[in-house]
Amino acid sequence: MLKEMIEYIAKSLVDNPDEVHVSEVEGEQTSVIELKVAKEDLGKVIGKQGRTARAMRTLLGAASTKARKRSVLEILE
């Protein structure tokens, strides 16, 4: 559910939605969601002063609290 949410948000933001790849690394208590986008779309996903990335992390935090799990978003280059 969390992975799909991040994928949907990222694909809505970028110019190359086909280049969006999201993977989830499940830990015992924490899951890491890795987001990889095209190099030219990296700025769109991060946003000015990291605002877009922070907003995505906030949404992920709220959704993962509901799922009773801790999730971390990592944006890969």
Side-chain angles (χ1 to χ4, degrees):
M1 173 189 94
L2 301 173
K3 179 183 161 201
E4 289 82 9
M5 180 184 76
I6 293 298
E7 188 171 2
Y8 176 78
I9 294 169
K11 283 185 175 182
S12 301
L13 292 170
V14 299
D15 290 333
N16 303 315
D18 298 338
E19 300 270 331
V20 173
H21 300 287
V22 182
S23 59
E24 190 169 8
V25 180
E26 292 269 356
E28 211 169 285
Q29 294 179 350
T30 307
S31 71
V32 178
I33 296 178
E34 297 175 336
L35 173 62
K36 191 166 174 51
V37 296
K39 209 168 195 71
E40 59 270 17
D41 287 328
L42 204 53
K44 289 186 178 80
V45 171
I46 295 172
K48 287 187 176 140
Q49 296 177 341
R51 286 187 183 160
T52 307
R54 199 174 320 124
M56 287 171 68
R57 287 187 173 111
T58 302
L59 285 170
L60 184 63
S64 61
T65 301
K66 189 175 179 188
R68 294 176 190 263
K69 197 163 194 186
R70 187 171 183 279
S71 295
V72 179
L73 175 64
E74 283 192 12
I75 299 170
L76 306 176
E77 288 187 34

